[in-house]
């Protein structure tokens, strides 16, 4: 089977798709990757063939920053690349409406790699779920609106869609978390499955890891790894970081990949880094402070580290709420009324928090998530291998 991975090219989306793709290649399938040119070195390290989205008219089409505006360009790029590679199946990311539309136009199956929690409405239940940010209904309606707009611009609005009930899920949506992270009583849609963390990242450079280790050893303060997500119009966490790591007992390693305006104070115990990997940095830390995006939350839990989370948008409020409910995280309000160093100190000393993080991380680590994901991809392909004349939702293949 020929499989085209067409996830968003940001690491938090690209790396899990690569984890599944490498397992599918190990099973004998032909797997290639479509993405922004900046992803080429990472994909090369993963040992997979790579196609530049820019060569197919997909500039910005696979950027998480532009996900809601580039559906038509993503559709065209995916359509052209899938034709060129003869793809039998697509594997994409949550929020990739263009890739869903390309699969629909080509009448091939598509599997969506999701986040640690389900973003949209439950099939049933969950009506009493408290919300740190937007409601599930609001998020679902907005994402469906973006999908529908892209579908109209792609010229597919008049055709029947085989996922008319839940078009955002594709033929299967794979969650990388644990059932405990979903709201109690909420029932996931039929095509949504938990597969586990899908862990893969580029190999760390030993010299770079040692340089970070040497820097941290100079102060000998306990280390907090800080991984910032997008702000989504919210407030920057930098004033709070400077407050927490100036003159206190902690020092921080801050990944600045998503922080467009890093502003460490002159006296802050903060080391700024920009690395394509985070595992070794979490290993050096005793706690992880993040906005609540999936990648640092999973990296923290897999290493048994407790979390301090300060959410903004996207899945950040949902995942923060889930981690607080599971007792593996504390929420850090981004307000002057809460003193961040005291909150970190309390969380650091909370053995229950740490033990629960280890237990949840142990469950996640025990899953062979890449194998589970590959099983679902193969099952979807077999289920969809129906002669076109017998397919209830058959769509004429564009020429």
């Amino acid at each position: 089977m020929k499989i085209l991975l067409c996830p968003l090219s940001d690491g938090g989306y690209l790396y899990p798709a690569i984890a599944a793709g490498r397992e599918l290649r190990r099973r004998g399938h032909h797997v290639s990757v479509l993405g922004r040119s900046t992803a080429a070195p990472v994909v090369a390290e993963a040992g997979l063939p790579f196609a530049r989205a820019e060569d197919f008219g997909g500039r910005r089409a696979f950027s998480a920053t532009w996900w809601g505006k580039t559906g038509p360009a993503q559709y065209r790029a995916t359509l052209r690349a899938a034709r060129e590679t003869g793809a039998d199946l697509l594997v994409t990311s949550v929020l990739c409406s263009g890739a869903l539309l390309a699969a629909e136009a080509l009448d091939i199956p598509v599997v969506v790699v999701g986040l640690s929690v389900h973003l949209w409405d439950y099939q049933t239940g969950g009506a009493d779920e408290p919300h740190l940010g937007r409601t599930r209904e609001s998020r679902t309606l907005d994402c469906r609106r973006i999908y529908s707009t892209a579908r109209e611009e792609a010229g597919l609005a008049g055709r029947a869609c085989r996922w008319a009930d839940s078009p955002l899920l594709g033929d299967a949506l794979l969650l990388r978390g644990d059932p405990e992270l979903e709201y109690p009583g909420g029932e996931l849609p039929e095509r949504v499955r938990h597969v586990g963390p899908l862990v893969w990242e580029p190999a760390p450079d030993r010299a770079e890891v040692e340089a970070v280790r040497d820097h941290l050893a100079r102060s000998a303060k306990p280390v907090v790894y800080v991984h910032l997500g997008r702000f989504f119009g919210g407030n920057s966490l930098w004033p709070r970081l400077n407050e927490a790591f100036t003159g206190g007992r902690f020092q921080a390693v801050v990944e600045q990949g998503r922080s467009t305006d890093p502003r460490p104070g002159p006296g802050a115990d903060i080391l700024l880094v920009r690395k394509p990997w985070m595992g070794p940095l979490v290993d050096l830390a005793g706690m992880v402070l993040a906005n609540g995006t999936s990648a640092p939350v999973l990296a923290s839990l897999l290493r048994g580290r407790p979390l301090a989370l300060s959410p903004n948008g996207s899945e950040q409020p949902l995942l923060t709420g889930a981690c607080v409910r599971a007792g593996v995280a504390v929420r850090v309000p981004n307000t002057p009324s809460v003193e961040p160093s005291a909150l970190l100190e309390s969380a650091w000393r909370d053995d229950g928090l740490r033990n629960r993080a280890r237990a949840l991380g142990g469950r996640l680590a025990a899953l062979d998530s890449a194998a589970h994901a590959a099983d679902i991809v193969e099952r979807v392909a077999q289920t969809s291998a129906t002669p076109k004349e017998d397919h209830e939702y058959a769509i004429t293949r564009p020429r």
Side-chain angles (χ1 to χ4, degrees):
M1 179 168 56
K2 294 181 179 178
I3 299 170
L4 178 65
L5 307 183
C6 45
L8 296 173
S9 293
D10 304 73
Y13 299 89
L14 175 63
Y15 295 178
I18 286 177
R22 282 164 59 90
E23 171 62 17
L24 288 161
R25 184 191 61 176
R26 190 191 67 79
R27 297 184 181 195
H29 302 292
H30 183 277
V31 180
S32 56
V33 181
L34 173 68
R36 299 200 317 269
S37 56
T38 53
V42 169
V43 177
E45 181 169 340
L48 299 175
F50 180 71
R52 288 168 25 105
E54 293 88 343
D55 295 339
F56 296 91
R59 179 175 174 269
R60 287 183 174 173
F62 295 92
S63 167
T65 302
W66 299 93
W67 75 268
K69 302 177 181 179
T70 56
Q74 189 182 91
Y75 163 72
R76 292 189 294 271
T78 306
L79 191 71
R80 293 166 184 168
R83 285 172 172 165
E84 184 166 300
T85 60
D88 302 303
L89 181 144
L90 304 181
V91 175
T92 189
S93 300
V94 70
L95 305 179
C96 284
S97 59
L100 295 173
L101 296 171
E104 178 184 339
L106 294 167
D107 195 17
I108 60 176
V110 56
V111 173
V112 180
V113 178
L115 304 167
S116 299
V117 289
H118 188 55
L119 273 180
W120 301 306
D121 286 336
Y122 287 124
Q123 184 167 298
T124 60
D128 59 341
E129 180 182 17
H131 299 281
L132 294 177
R134 300 173 61 186
T135 64
R136 287 183 184 271
E137 181 182 24
S138 170
R139 189 181 292 105
T140 302
L141 290 173
D142 193 39
C143 288
R144 290 197 67 153
R145 176 187 58 78
I146 291 170
Y147 167 85
S148 297
T149 299
R151 196 164 186 261
E152 290 178 4
E153 293 185 29
L156 299 174
R159 302 185 179 191
C161 172
R162 65 177 179 268
W163 323 295
D165 58 333
S166 301
L168 304 174
L169 308 180
D171 291 282
L173 186 144
L174 313 181
L175 292 180
R176 289 149 42 209
D178 182 272
E180 186 177 352
L181 296 178
E182 298 301 330
Y183 189 70
E187 182 180 341
L188 292 169
E190 184 179 2
R191 300 197 305 277
V192 179
R193 296 287 184 271
H194 283 99
V195 299
L198 286 175
V199 177
W200 182 88
E201 64 180 14
D205 183 286
R206 289 187 179 182
E208 293 181 5
V209 175
E210 286 304 313
V212 173
R213 190 189 304 274
D214 290 345
H215 177 94
L216 298 176
R218 293 171 196 163
S219 76
K221 290 183 177 182
V223 179
V224 176
Y225 175 65
V226 181
H227 192 104
L228 301 179
R230 291 173 60 203
F231 295 147
F232 296 100
N235 296 323
S236 168
L237 201 58
W238 273 104
R240 310 289 283 153
L241 294 181
N242 286 325
E243 183 182 353
F245 298 109
T246 300
R249 88 174 191 98
F250 297 106
Q251 60 179 322
V253 177
V254 180
E255 170 57 53
Q256 58 176 320
R258 288 285 195 94
S259 181
T260 55
D261 184 22
R263 288 174 281 164
D269 290 315
I270 290 176
L271 173 64
L272 284 176
V273 298
R274 186 183 292 271
K275 309 294 183 187
W277 35 264
M278 74 175 81
L281 302 176
V282 178
D283 288 337
L284 293 173
M287 175 180 286
V288 171
L289 171 60
N291 288 125
T293 52
S294 291
V297 166
L298 289 172
S300 179
L301 292 174
L302 287 168
R303 290 162 174 82
R305 305 302 195 263
L307 289 148
L309 301 175
S310 182
N312 283 312
S314 187
E315 91 268 35
Q316 296 175 17
L318 277 177
L319 187 50
T320 296
C323 288
V324 171
R325 279 197 313 271
V328 300
V330 296
R331 186 181 174 216
V332 182
N334 194 358
T335 59
S337 60
V338 177
E339 207 278 307
S341 58
L343 189 57
L344 290 176
E345 179 70 36
S346 175
W348 186 283
R349 294 182 179 277
D350 189 336
D351 290 337
L353 194 72
R354 196 173 297 275
N355 290 336
R356 288 187 293 271
R358 287 173 180 152
L360 179 53
R363 287 206 304 274
L364 290 167
L367 296 171
D368 190 346
S369 57
H372 195 177
D375 288 343
I376 293 174
V377 170
E378 291 178 332
R379 194 178 309 133
V380 164
Q382 292 167 2
T383 303
S384 302
T386 307
K388 293 296 183 289
E389 61 269 23
D390 296 331
H391 200 302
E392 181 181 359
Y393 301 107
I395 302 173
T396 304
R397 186 184 298 272
R399 302 190 181 279

